[in-house]
Structure formats: structure tokens, C-alpha cells
Amino acid sequence: MGLVIMKFGGSSMSDAGRIKHVAKKIVAKQKKGNKVVAVVSAPGNTTDDLIKMADGISSNPPEREMDVLLATGEMISISLLAMAIDVMGKKVVSMTGPQAGILANEDYTRARIKKINPQKIKEQLARDNIVIVAGFQALNPNGDITTLGRGGSDLTAVAIAAALKSDLCEIYSDVEGVYTTDPRVVKDARKIDYISYDEMLEMAASGSQVLQSRSVEVAKKFGVEIHSRSTFSENQGTIITSKEKIKGKEMESFLISGISFDKNQAKFAVTAPSLDTADIVREIYGRCAEIGVNIDMVNQSAVSDKKSVISFIVGGDDVKKMRKELDKIVLDYKASVSCAEHFAKVSIIGIGVKSHGSVAARVLEILRKNDISIDMISASEIKISCIINEIDMLKAVEELHKGFELSKK
Ligand code: ADP
Ligand code: ASP
Ligand code: MG
């Protein structure tokens, strides 16, 4: 008998019909002789709707209260799914994150899981119950409910799989697995059969939301193999595992695994006396670490004998937070700040970036041929990222996908 963790995202839980469908899949998995823990996200767009409700009340809601609000979404899902399984005559129990023993640190809205006490889940499994756990939430040292950052139900599922040493962690969504790029944007994107943790981590961190990047980090750390697959088909999806396990499984090895993209990137430029720039950079990094903001592509250049510009990229929800912090920082120095929005980041990911120096040249050539200018560029071992105008993003993704021959054969 195996132990399987099945995670269902918001799109799989968006209405009664879909919840009943998920219930059937869980019961079928149990009938095959498995014990099952299912982790679920809030129905459909509930989390976004709750954020909008908070915006309608306050422009600066306390993070503790934000967590209390957002955690309600997943609680709708666990109760309804448990009811659907109960109707099928099966033993089932739902648990919030705190009830399931998921313990996190004090960072409200972006908490990190510190530990899981799986005792209660184990007791319920031993009584032949199907266990349904609310994703995205945990208990912090103050006894408060906290949330784990957007897409955090993936992290809940992987962390439970690690804590229970389960045989399989299946992450179900509305696509059949991980593709060479978002299949909703590039129609002939190819499904990837196997991808290494490192490549998946880079794809997720640079915009491929099919998996949350922190969940991939935890999967790598604890050796949890993930099967990313569709709620709406029985087809094999994508296995995310170690490089060593993939060797020999893929018929061909691909130098470039995929292309990620991320809209809503803002470029901040802080102009300050050259003598102060090192202190300012240190302060920006320090504040970002404290408030959980990621900055990217930090660059410094002199504009005159006495003045320098520090520029960097911040994406998504972090832009608002960064603006507030910078307004405070520039007050302390004789500095000024500007912010240009409507940029996008396009990233090319694969082992070929390191082993084939020609990848960077090809990226530049493809973008140049299509009159797409690059504002900033950065490279790591397995990734090249370009900051371009948001209006050019889709064209850049399509042309790079074509140029690197990533489509279905
Ligand atoms: P869930 O609600 O189940 O957590 P998400 O919306 O978070 O699902 O993730 C699934 C979505 O990820 C897909 O609908 C797809 O549009 C998007 N996506 C982005 N990049 C990729 C990719 N490379 N492969 C597959 N899906 C991707
Ligand atoms: N409901 C949360 C979100 O929308 C968590 C998740 O879906 O994984 O971010
Ligand atoms: Mg998701």
C-alpha cells in the first residue's frame, strides 16, 4: 500500500461539478490501495477576490489581518471537498494548515514553513480516512494563522510529502504538465516529460507559474519527486526530479528546456552622490530581505564626477512595497528615485546556456532581427534573462521558442 499526496489548484476547485470530479479522482486513487492526503487551493479566483475586498477597505491592511482573510479561501475548498467525498460514502476528514501541524515563522503573508508535525495526519490515515488539508496556510509562533505566499499550496503539498516520506506527490492543474513555455500563450509549446529540479526552479522563479518556486526548492532539498499533471485527463504529465534520475530516461536531451516570461516588471533608478552609493545599495538589500522583496539585475553607473545611478528590477506585487521603502531611503541621503513600469522579463532556461556559449549570441540575434530592444540582461549558469518593453513580450517569446526549435515535432 502506498501513500500519495495529491494537490489540486484553484482551477480544479472552481465549481461544484469540478469539486465532485476531484472527489472522484481521490476516491479512485484510494481504491487502487493507496492512503491519500489531498491538498487544495481556494476555489477559482477566490484569493484575488479577497485581496480586492481588502483593497476596498484599506490601502494598507495589517498583514496579520490579510492572512486571516486569505486563509478563508482554502477553508471553503477543504470543507466542500470533504462533503463531496462523504456523499460518495467514504471516510474523510478536512484539516486547516494549523490542524495539520504545519508550523511557520513570523513573516505574515510570506511565511516560511519551519516544521511539520504530521502526527494528526498519520492518526487520521491510520483510521482509513482520506485527509484533506488546506494549502497555503500555517500556524506561526504567536498562535496566528499565516499564509505562505502566492501559489503556496504547491509548497504545502511538497512539504507534507517530505514530512510523511510519501511515495508520490502529484500536483494537478489545468494543463497536462510543464511545457516549453506557457501552452496558453504559445499553442505549439511541447510538454516536457522529465525536468531537473534546477531547471524547474529557474523556470518557476522567472514566471512559469505552473509550480511555485519555493515548492521546487523544498522538493529538491528533500528529494521529493513531483508529478505535474492535469485534473482533466489521465495522461502522463511531467516528472520533476534530480539530474541523476533523468539521465538515460529522455530519448534526446534538450539544451534549452523552456522559456519563461513575467509581465509587470518595474525598473527603479536611484540617483545619489557617488560616495553614498555603496551604503544605499547595502540598505536596499537589507530592507528587501526584511520585507521579502526580490530585486534583480542590480546595476550601478556614474552619471557625472559626483553622481551615480543605481538601477534594478522589481516585479509584480513587490513594486508597491519597494516604492514605499525607497521613498524612505532616499530621504536619508541626498538622493532621488524614479520608477518606470511596463517592462517584462523573458528568460531562456536550460543546461545549454552554460555548455554552449552560442546561446546568448542567438538570443541577441533573434531579438535584434525582430526589432526588440533589450534594456537589461543577466545570465546565470542555466538561464539568460532579458528585460524588454512589455508590448514586445509575446513576440519575443514566440520568436525565441521558434528560434530554439522548442515546438512539438
Ligand atoms: P493551479 O490553480 O492549479 O495552481 P496555476 O494557474 O497556478 O494552477 O498554474 C497553471 C497555469 O500555469 C497554466 O494554466 C498555464 O497557463 C501556466 N503556465 C505558465 N507557464 C507554464 C509552463 N511552462 N508549462 C505549463 N503551464 C504554464
Ligand atoms: N490560493 C492561493 C493563491 O491563489 C494559494 C494557491 O493557489 O496555491 O495564491
Ligand atoms: Mg498554482
Side-chain angles (χ1 to χ4, degrees):
M1 177 178 280
L3 168 62
V4 181
I5 312 302
M6 303 171 85
K7 180 260 165 176
F8 295 90
S11 51
S12 308
M13 300 290 295
S14 55
D15 58 37
R18 289 190 172 193
I19 293 175
K20 287 179 189 168
H21 175 71
V22 167
K24 280 188 200 144
K25 285 187 89 88
I26 293 171
V27 169
K29 187 71 77 179
Q30 190 196 41
K31 272 196 183 141
K32 283 189 182 155
N34 299 296
K35 290 195 176 289
V36 182
V37 178
V39 174
V40 286
S41 300
N45 298 322
T46 303
T47 307
D48 289 331
D49 294 342
L50 290 169
I51 292 171
K52 279 187 208 134
M53 283 170 78
D55 281 346
I57 300 280
S58 163
S59 59
N60 193 18
E63 290 188 324
R64 179 185 182 280
E65 305 313 328
M66 221 35 217
D67 276 346
V68 174
L69 177 69
L70 296 192
T72 61
E74 271 63 19
M75 279 147 77
I76 298 174
S77 291
I78 54 168
S79 49
L80 292 178
L81 182 57
M83 289 175 203
I85 292 173
D86 176 74
V87 167
M88 295 174 74
K90 295 289 166 192
K91 288 176 70 183
V92 59
V93 62
S94 70
M95 288 185 182
T96 63
Q99 286 172 330
I102 303 172
L103 306 179
N105 69 5
E106 283 186 49
D107 292 339
Y108 292 98
T109 74
R110 53 182 182 283
R112 295 202 158 251
I113 296 180
K114 287 204 311 200
K115 195 180 167 200
I116 296 189
N117 285 335
Q119 207 42 44
K120 282 212 176 122
I121 299 182
K122 282 184 179 166
E123 280 166 23
Q124 295 298 341
L125 290 173
R127 287 183 207 149
D128 286 332
N129 273 306
I130 291 169
V131 179
I132 313 287
V133 179
F136 180 53
Q137 51 177 253
L139 184 71
N140 80 2
N142 303 328
D144 291 334
I145 199 156
T146 48
T147 61
L148 307 174
R150 296 307 302 270
S153 300
D154 295 340
L155 177 61
T156 305
V158 172
I160 289 179
L164 294 177
K165 299 190 175 48
S166 79
D167 306 288
L168 188 56
C169 181
E170 296 182 315
I171 301 220
Y172 288 84
S173 71
D174 57 354
V175 284
E176 296 215 337
V178 181
Y179 284 68
T180 45
T181 192
D182 190 337
R184 300 197 185 285
V185 172
V186 176
K187 292 294 167 226
D188 61 354
R190 174 175 46 80
K191 187 170 78 188
I192 300 169
D193 293 331
Y194 295 91
I195 186 166
S196 69
Y197 292 123
D198 291 333
E199 287 164 295
M200 188 64 236
L201 193 54
E202 292 285 16
M203 280 186 73
S206 51
S208 299
Q209 67 165 31
V210 61
L211 283 175
Q212 191 220 30
S213 59
R214 278 167 56 201
S215 72
V216 185
E217 257 169 43
V218 172
K220 180 181 177 186
K221 187 166 172 193
F222 292 95
V224 173
E225 214 164 81
I226 300 175
H227 185 182
S228 160
R229 60 189 309 188
S230 168
T231 307
F232 310 105
S233 90
E234 292 302 316
N235 295 343
Q236 175 76 14
T238 302
I239 303 291
I240 298 110
T241 187
S242 64
K243 278 194 267 281
E244 293 70 32
K245 285 210 178 140
I246 292 175
K247 261 184 209 149
K249 280 199 173 136
E250 282 277 21
M251 296 274 282
E252 299 174 73
S253 61
F254 296 92
L255 292 177
I256 299 301
S257 295
I259 296 175
S260 298
F261 50 90
D262 214 346
K263 283 196 283 198
N264 306 322
Q265 304 287 304
K267 183 171 156 185
F268 285 93
V270 178
T271 308
S274 301
L275 282 175
D276 292 333
T277 50
D279 288 339
I280 294 178
V281 170
R282 204 176 317 118
E283 194 156 338
I284 291 173
Y285 271 117
R287 292 300 304 142
C288 286
E290 251 172 63
I291 60 173
V293 163
N294 284 321
I295 59 174
D296 203 6
M297 304 203 185
V298 182
N299 181 35
Q300 188 187 327
S301 56
V303 281
S304 70
D305 287 355
K306 293 191 178 134
K307 287 215 157 159
S308 294
V309 177
I310 308 152
S311 43
F312 52 89
I313 300 293
V314 175
D317 296 341
D318 288 348
V319 175
K320 207 166 126 191
K321 284 195 208 166
M322 192 74 238
R323 267 180 201 277
K324 256 202 244 161
E325 283 310 313
L326 282 175
D327 285 344
K328 283 186 240 158
I329 294 173
V330 294
L331 271 185
D332 295 342
Y333 298 87
K334 285 198 173 67
S336 61
V337 60
S338 68
C339 172
E341 297 194 45
H342 312 301
F343 281 106
K345 183 163 68 180
V346 175
S347 307
I348 292 87
I349 293 121
I351 45 164
V353 170
K354 183 168 97 178
S355 53
H356 287 63
S358 59
V359 171
R362 249 165 96 193
V363 170
L364 299 181
E365 179 60 17
I366 292 168
L367 295 181
R368 192 191 58 76
K369 257 195 189 158
N370 288 283
D371 295 323
I372 297 171
S373 53
I374 300 174
D375 206 83
M376 290 171 105
I377 187 161
S378 74
S380 71
E381 277 216 339
I382 56 169
K383 181 177 79 176
I384 296 173
S385 294
C386 303
I387 298 294
I388 59 175
N389 274 325
E390 199 176 282
I391 42 167
D392 291 329
M393 186 184 80
L394 292 183
K395 180 147 201 229
V397 173
E398 275 166 7
E399 293 299 332
L400 288 166
H401 198 264
K402 219 189 298 164
F404 282 97
E405 298 173 9
L406 298 179
S407 304
K408 288 178 216 159
K409 294 275 181 294

